[in-house]
Amino acid sequence: MHRYRRIAALAGIVCLTLWAACPAFFAPPPRFALPSLPASPSEKTPRLESALINQPDPPRVHAAAIAALPSGRLFAVWYGGLREGSTDVKIYAADYRHGAWSPQRVLATTAQTMADTGRFTRKVGNPVAFVTPRGELWVVYVSVALGGWAASQLNLITSPDLGESWRPARRLVTEPFLNISTLVKGEPVFFENGDIGLPVYYEMAGKLGELLTLSPEGEVRARHRMDHGSRSLQPVVLVETPTRAVALMRDGDDLPPHRVWRTETTDAGQHWSALTQTDLPNPNSALSALRLEDGKLLAVANDVENERFRLSLLMSADDGQHWRVLHRFEDKESFLQDPPDRAAFHARLLEDLQDIGQMPDTEAVVRNVENSLCETHCAWQYDYPYLIRSAEGDFHLVYTWNRGFIRHLRFNRAWLEERL
Amino acid sequence: MMPALLACLGYGLAITLILARCAPWLRARPERMTMALAAACALLYLPVAGVSLLAVLRGALGDLSIVTLVFLSILFLRRPGPLLPHAGFFALMGLVFFFLSFGLLPLDLYALGYAAAVLPCLTGGLAFLLWLRGWIASSLALLAALAGWRLHWLDSTNLWDYLLDAPLIVVASSRAMFLRIARKPVIKPVIQDAVK
């Protein structure tokens, strides 16, 4: 009798193991979904529009992302507070409808995140917004319980009606050691089975890019590291075929030369090649990129080695290895040798504001920017670009403008072709 | 709901067992232990400055693994015995695993815990061997982790989070070190033998 019980127990163990492991036996290999081609451009007139999205309060904002919604609508998210990393930081959002940006609204707070997830949260940061293949609007943002940004964790909020209402935040578990150090910055890619590939990065002991696979329900399905060591951050994944993609990454290495890193996959993100340096300078700063219908890559980046005073539009015809500048959206190199005093800075700022487009009260903009940028001496800063293309074919770029504002630039294919 | 309840149970059991170590009279009667567990769980939900202790623990340490929960439950239900079976194994496994998770080497063990078949099969195989060797509690802990992972008892979808957690590794490492020190052979002075 004892022997039969023992055999039954062991058979039970085998059955339980097979039941636990069986879904993996039937999982098909992943394949990227190719980005849908935008409508062919009907507009022949070059067009570049500009706006400052946020209000002057809170005074510091950063890490904007933008998503294209149906009917030409846009949805932008960013975080803001008294200063970066302070506990009053909230995630803000605004909508673009009928040719103008709506007033900003609070999308997520520390208190709400804590209540929703049932876990202590001290601050929130970096959000990324996107529309899933199922047509839901998702925002993934980081939060920190203890320590600095390197100890971040990911949270997901989803909206079934494109931003009208939101479900409670969920914590994504992505790391084994106290679930710390996963941050998000880049635009997601999608898989043919409806899964979402979210480029994230780890920056605790090492610094490396990762591709996180989320199910359409928002569960983490897989994680693939793009590198090891301590040199690459904030990947941007650019899909070419259902199995091939290139990723570009911010340089997080202490040693020069400081260049954007590049890697590629031929099995839809399961494995990534060894990192190589491109010829695009990078001052340890985020970049954004997308693939055009002819296969060329378009990027927005700080193409200098050690400052963020310049933000350029660049193009690569060889899958990201070599880049040429098409346009400078922002460039204050002339002030590098001779830093402006407060009066000169003020005068130049007013000059810049003349073609900024929709914006809050000029006085408040100037006050915020000067308070942010003129602590010891005045220095310009343009960073954290996020570039997308809407279904209508227009390009939308958001970035942090002088630490105090989120600037939105919209340009059409005709404007781009003028610069090719 | 389920992850929060399991977290409350796990941290409640841990607090109760720590209390029982400090106050042996608690161990004397099972109903005292049950009451202590209920009090610990209530304490975990008590908000202090707007935040409950459970939220702080879950925010800082995360949820306890199913293996830890099983070990805590076994310790709670029986009289004091070995604090943690296979402490050395868990300590070594955990330290190697957590070191690899820092991304300094190309090997990423944590990635195996998502949907691949390798880790569930290894876990089942280890449970099988442990059962054969008569380590029923450890085998049950691994099987509960497998079942919990498949049924999604925790927020995580990674099997590793059902098998290991940082507090378990800290306790296992401390226990392994303690056992190593305790087992250190005593070198008898030669002169003592000579006297005999």
Side-chain angles (χ1 to χ4, degrees):
Chain A
M1 191 63 189
H2 176 73
R3 188 178 165 204
Y4 289 126
R5 262 192 296 183
R6 190 179 164 92
I7 290 170
L10 293 173
I13 292 174
V14 172
C15 290
L16 178 63
T17 305
L18 290 175
W19 169 68
C22 68
F25 293 124
F26 305 107
R31 285 168 60 86
F32 288 125
L34 297 179
S36 51
L37 290 177
S40 52
S42 53
E43 202 177 10
K44 300 292 178 204
T45 315
R47 183 164 49 85
L48 173 70
E49 293 169 6
S50 164
L52 295 186
I53 300 176
N54 62 304
Q55 266 85 62
D57 186 30
R60 289 283 183 96
V61 293
H62 197 34
I66 189 167
L69 308 184
S71 318
R73 286 169 55 207
L74 299 167
F75 177 82
V77 282
W78 63 92
Y79 75 82
L82 282 175
R83 61 178 188 284
E84 183 178 334
S86 64
T87 50
D88 71 314
V89 166
K90 299 180 180 74
I91 306 293
Y92 291 89
D95 298 290
Y96 183 88
R97 294 178 202 217
H98 315 302
W101 283 96
S102 69
Q104 68 187 26
R105 63 181 189 279
V106 174
L107 190 65
T109 64
T110 303
Q112 188 59 46
T113 304
M114 191 151 54
D116 289 350
T117 61
R119 295 160 193 267
F120 174 68
T121 306
R122 200 164 52 82
K123 59 183 181 183
V124 293
N126 282 26
V128 162
F130 52 94
V131 178
T132 67
R134 282 189 181 177
E136 291 190 345
L137 179 59
W138 285 16
V139 173
V140 179
Y141 62 97
V142 308
S143 66
V144 177
L146 302 169
W149 287 130
S152 292
Q153 303 165 322
L154 295 185
N155 303 278
L156 169 67
I157 50 173
T158 62
S159 170
D161 46 18
L162 298 174
E164 300 299 321
S165 63
W166 293 88
R167 300 187 185 106
R170 291 160 53 189
R171 177 67 43 86
L172 302 180
V173 183
T174 53
E175 284 294 333
F177 186 69
L178 309 178
N179 189 27
I180 54 175
S181 201
T182 305
L183 297 91
V184 65
K185 168 69 182 81
E187 198 188 345
V189 293
F190 302 108
F191 292 94
E192 284 181 353
N193 65 355
D195 282 358
I196 296 135
L198 187 65
V200 297
Y201 57 104
Y202 173 86
E203 63 165 335
M204 179 62 86
K207 286 180 186 170
L208 50 107
E210 299 173 337
L211 185 65
L212 209 61
T213 305
L214 303 178
S215 72
E217 293 76 34
E219 288 174 351
V220 183
R221 280 219 168 124
R223 185 191 80 177
H224 298 288
R225 288 190 157 164
M226 297 173 169
D227 188 22
H228 67 277
S230 189
R231 56 182 175 175
S232 58
L233 293 165
Q234 299 178 336
V236 178
V237 179
L238 303 155
V239 172
E240 187 186 3
T241 69
T243 53
R244 190 174 183 283
V246 166
L248 303 169
M249 283 184 266
R250 165 180 171 172
D251 176 49
D253 202 347
D254 295 331
L255 300 172
H258 298 295
R259 298 281 186 273
V260 166
W261 292 99
R262 178 187 178 281
T263 178
E264 56 186 66
T265 176
T266 53
D267 57 6
Q270 305 267 300
H271 300 90
W272 293 85
S273 66
L275 258 59
T276 55
Q277 281 191 321
T278 69
D279 71 348
L280 178 57
N282 185 259
N284 196 347
S285 175
L287 74 151
S288 186
L290 52 79
R291 189 181 287 275
L292 296 173
E293 51 270 41
D294 59 5
K296 289 176 181 160
L297 304 184
L298 194 65
V300 178
N302 300 110
D303 55 333
V304 282
E305 279 216 16
N306 44 26
E307 293 289 343
R308 297 180 181 184
F309 57 79
R310 180 194 285 162
L311 194 71
S312 305
L313 181 68
L314 306 111
M315 176 165 277
S316 170
D318 58 2
D319 248 0
Q321 297 176 66
H322 300 91
W323 295 85
R324 69 183 176 90
V325 177
L326 299 180
H327 181 74
R328 306 258 192 234
F329 290 119
E330 309 280 1
D331 190 2
K332 296 292 190 294
E333 190 173 15
S334 56
F335 290 92
L336 205 59
Q337 299 301 325
D338 185 19
D341 59 18
R342 190 103 180 196
F345 184 86
H346 185 84
R348 183 57 201 262
L349 187 58
L350 288 176
E351 202 179 303
D352 284 354
L353 286 176
Q354 284 173 5
D355 49 355
I356 208 87
Q358 179 189 340
M359 66 168 180
D361 174 42
T362 308
E363 205 174 297
V365 173
V366 170
R367 187 179 59 240
N368 269 17
V369 170
E370 289 185 346
N371 286 345
S372 295
L373 298 181
C374 298
E375 283 163 359
T376 51
H377 66 281
C378 297
W380 315 89
Q381 189 170 315
Y382 311 103
D383 53 357
Y384 268 60
Y386 195 97
L387 177 69
I388 62 161
R389 196 170 184 192
S390 63
E392 295 79 25
D394 278 2
F395 298 86
H396 297 275
L397 169 67
V398 285
Y399 59 94
T400 309
W401 188 82
N402 290 321
R403 290 192 198 155
F405 291 90
I406 302 301
R407 189 178 189 188
H408 169 224
L409 290 176
R410 174 191 196 135
F411 54 93
N412 62 4
R413 181 76 200 201
W415 182 90
L416 177 67
E417 276 174 2
E418 270 194 343
R419 281 148 186 88
L420 293 179
Chain B
M1 191 66 178
M2 180 81 162
L5 286 176
L6 288 177
C8 179
L9 178 67
Y11 285 116
L13 284 168
I15 292 171
T16 310
L17 289 166
I18 291 168
L19 282 176
R21 285 248 154 197
C22 302
W25 56 269
L26 261 182
R27 274 266 173 213
R29 295 174 67 171
E31 56 271 25
R32 285 185 192 159
M33 286 292 281
T34 310
M35 283 177 66
L37 175 62
C41 289
L43 179 77
L44 284 168
Y45 276 104
L46 201 69
V48 179
V51 187
S52 69
L53 179 59
L54 183 64
V56 173
L57 288 169
R58 293 188 78 201
L61 301 177
D63 291 343
L64 295 177
S65 66
I66 298 298
V67 165
T68 303
L69 271 171
V70 172
F71 283 148
L72 288 171
S73 305
I74 290 170
L75 282 172
F76 180 83
L77 292 172
R78 70 175 186 181
R79 299 194 65 78
L83 186 64
L84 179 64
H86 315 297
F89 171 76
F90 275 106
L92 184 68
M93 188 75 196
L95 292 175
V96 169
F97 173 68
F98 283 134
F99 175 75
L100 287 175
S101 78
F102 294 150
L104 299 173
L105 297 174
L107 185 61
D108 181 18
L109 285 182
Y110 190 66
L112 292 177
Y114 282 111
V118 178
L119 191 61
C121 289
L122 282 175
T123 307
L126 186 59
F128 191 95
L129 288 175
L130 287 168
W131 193 286
L132 279 178
R133 298 288 300 270
W135 289 94
I136 307 298
S138 298
S139 180
L140 281 176
L142 295 180
L143 294 173
L146 266 184
W149 175 62
R150 186 73 161 83
L151 296 172
H152 205 157
W153 287 349
L154 303 179
D155 282 340
S156 174
T157 50
N158 191 304
L159 178 55
W160 283 110
D161 293 319
Y162 293 73
L163 295 169
L164 294 173
D165 56 60
L168 176 69
I169 302 311
V170 170
V171 173
S173 306
S174 314
R175 178 74 185 158
M177 275 194 292
F178 171 78
L179 288 176
R180 193 168 172 78
I181 292 165
R183 278 185 204 146
K184 202 172 180 179
V186 179
I187 301 165
K188 292 178 182 174
V190 178
I191 193 155
Q192 199 176 1
D193 290 340
V195 171
K196 281 180 183 175

